[in-house]
Amino acid sequence: MKKYLPIFRKASLFQGIRDVDLTAMLQCLSAKQSTYQKGQVLVQKGTMMSSVGMVLSGALHLFNDDFWGNRTILAQVEPGELFGETYACIQTEPLHVTVQAAEATEVLYLDIRKIMTLCTAACTFHARLLQNLIFVLAQKNVLLTQKLEHTSKRTTRDKLLSYLSAESSKAGSATFTIPFNRQELADYLGVDRSAMSSTLCKLRDEGVLQFQKNRFELTHTMQP
Amino acid sequence: MKKYLPIFRKASLFQGIRDVDLTAMLQCLSAKQSTYQKGQVLVQKGTMMSSVGMVLSGALHLFNDDFWGNRTILAQVEPGELFGETYACIQTEPLHVTVQAAEATEVLYLDIRKIMTLCTAACTFHARLLQNLIFVLAQKNVLLTQKLEHTSKRTTRDKLLSYLSAESSKAGSATFTIPFNRQELADYLGVDRSAMSSTLCKLRDEGVLQFQKNRFELTHTMQP
DNA sequence: AAACATCTGTTGTTTTTACAACGAAAAGGA
DNA sequence: TCCTTTTCGTTGTAAAAACAACAGATGTTT
């Protein structure tokens, strides 16, 4: 297990927990490791999750097949990242996605009850683990809320303005850089790239904003 | 504080905690109560939240003003419900919304550090409180993820199919009822009601589904 | 420097949606 | 029962987006 320490140090769930405490804790939590071949299904949609999974090596795909069999890949899970944590925390709600190994993958499973149930004593790092879990959930929440706020606007124009306004607010300035290129931004906002590009230029021509590459500047113009 | 027990019994955060334990715990957490007039701003966007708020009576509005001053009301918080819990759990991220009293409102504030820090002993209900907090966060997560999965589809048609497919899956049957009327469904999916209505009828004419009022049935037809 | 790949803006066409306005059906209340 | 309100489908029009295809710009590799 020691060879995974570099992964653990990066993992959000284990932040602030020292290596020595970590190895002790993993035993205390009776963590279990599994290996999967490429293409193998780890967990089927509809399963009740009683544990959180952490990818140690390789990668996972989360996907969903709709009523007519059309498959949508929803996320890729990389080393240090978790999967199933939300549903493990709820316990009554079955997993809404299927988890499949995108390549040969090693996974560490942590029993959610052992995480949530505070061991009797001396386990200061266990408290930290719980705080980290809460932090992970809350952070995901923020990301989802923000994305939803932008994508829920009806037009590409409004989605762009909502996103750029939020980035400006985050930067605390009318000038800021965004972490996406055009294609990534379009995917994030759920719109077509070329249509977005032309909308962006239309906004520039109207004097609402300026940009060069990933650097944007919003300008104060009166809205009609 | 006793007069709020009916509210507390319904509140997700206090589920599974008995009245006697609750009153004891609220003291232990040094909960603080505040009263606000209609229109008064409780918390400004950008504030760091160090506590969770619970509405005791009245109602709150969460809103966001963009760079150009356009206001969007994002949610209404009713008695028993929380606000700021996500940002309180993160601690490093400032609140992304402004909180305003929609009417005369009473609010109970709970220090997040006292919730997260396990008191030394005998506090079995404190553990339950933590589990409830995690549950609240996780459940919100599920709701956001689902909505995002539907709204991220490009066309109204795909949004509908994604949503109905998920409802069918949840019901475990091709026949099911949905908890929305047309206008609510359109709002949920972020589309125009009348356009959605016509799309829905087009799908019916194509033989993809059938419906009467809120009762739907998906039919297995080969996709091209 | 040359060759290649990627990123971005542009344009034109087709499809889809938003919007507005209306009437019928259903639900609810007096 | 009659009246009112809400809900839902329908239609036509204008606006917007998706899509496809391309060219210039930028960046990278050899």
Side-chain angles (χ1 to χ4, degrees), chain A residues 132-148:
Chain A
N132 285 347
L133 178 62
I134 290 176
F135 184 79
V136 166
L137 290 173
Q139 208 164 37
K140 194 168 184 176
N141 233 303
V142 170
L143 293 179
L144 291 170
T145 304
Q146 285 179 358
K147 182 168 177 177
L148 202 48

Side-chain angles (χ1 to χ4, degrees), chain B:
Chain B
M1 193 64 71
K2 273 197 175 169
K3 62 172 171 172
Y4 298 118
L5 281 177
I7 304 291
F8 292 152
R9 290 196 195 101
K10 287 189 306 179
S12 314
L13 188 63
F14 295 147
Q15 284 309 297
I17 301 178
R18 292 176 308 168
D19 293 356
V20 266
D21 295 335
L22 194 58
T23 41
M25 187 170 65
L26 288 179
Q27 272 204 315
C28 158
L29 292 174
S30 58
K32 277 173 191 139
Q33 189 182 342
S34 292
T35 308
Y36 301 94
Q37 300 167 5
K38 174 172 178 173
Q40 199 174 347
V41 170
L42 287 69
V43 195
Q44 198 82 37
K45 174 178 172 179
T47 307
M48 290 292 182
M49 298 290 291
S50 60
S51 58
V52 182
M54 179 184 285
V55 173
L56 298 175
S57 71
L60 300 176
H61 277 171
L62 310 186
F63 67 78
N64 182 30
D65 293 337
D66 73 8
F67 184 82
W68 296 272
N70 306 108
R71 178 162 298 182
T72 312
I73 294 182
L74 298 160
Q76 174 149 342
V77 189
E78 311 241 326
E81 296 177 349
L82 304 178
F83 68 93
E85 77 283 2
T86 302
Y87 296 94
C89 290
I90 293 191
Q91 310 252 350
T92 56
E93 186 90 0
L95 195 64
H96 285 196
V97 296
T98 296
V99 185
Q100 186 180 37
E103 50 191 275
T105 303
E106 293 171 296
V107 170
L108 187 73
Y109 289 105
L110 304 169
D111 187 341
I112 188 68
R113 270 168 305 186
K114 295 214 176 183
I115 295 181
M116 301 251 279
T117 310
L118 324 146
C119 40
T120 45
C123 217
T124 52
F125 37 80
H126 195 158
R128 178 63 192 243
L129 186 70
L130 254 178
Q131 287 173 19
N132 285 348
L133 178 62
I134 291 176
F135 184 79
V136 166
L137 290 173
Q139 208 165 35
K140 194 167 183 177
N141 233 302
V142 170
L143 293 179
L144 291 171
T145 304
Q146 285 178 359
K147 181 167 178 179
L148 202 48
E149 193 183 323
H150 306 137
T151 55
S152 66
K153 307 276 170 161
R154 298 261 224 305
T155 67
T156 299
R157 181 193 177 94
D158 285 345
K159 288 173 189 171
L160 275 170
L161 291 180
S162 174
Y163 171 73
L164 294 173
S165 188
E167 285 295 313
S168 161
S169 169
K170 194 191 295 178
S173 159
T175 308
F176 53 94
T177 62
I178 65 172
F180 295 134
N181 64 27
R182 295 291 185 273
Q183 182 63 61
E184 290 166 338
L185 179 56
D187 290 341
Y188 177 75
L189 296 178
V191 298
D192 178 72
R193 180 198 61 80
S194 71
M196 185 193 77
S197 183
S198 84
T199 303
L200 215 40
C201 293
K202 218 169 289 172
L203 286 168
R204 165 166 45 67
D205 297 344
E206 291 174 20
V208 180
L209 50 79
Q210 295 180 324
F211 59 88
Q212 45 251 322
K213 288 192 58 183
N214 295 353
R215 180 157 210 80
F216 286 78
E217 176 172 3
L218 305 184
T219 54
H220 276 291
T221 44
M222 294 298 99
Q223 297 287 80

Side-chain angles (χ1 to χ4, degrees), chain A residues 17 21-29 114-115 117-131, chain B residues 116 118 120:
Chain A
I17 300 176
D21 295 335
L22 194 58
T23 41
M25 186 172 65
L26 288 178
Q27 272 203 315
C28 157
L29 293 174
K114 296 216 174 181
I115 294 181
T117 310
L118 324 147
C119 41
T120 44
C123 217
T124 52
F125 36 81
H126 194 158
R128 178 63 193 239
L129 186 70
L130 254 179
Q131 287 173 19
Chain B
M116 301 251 279
L118 324 146
T120 45

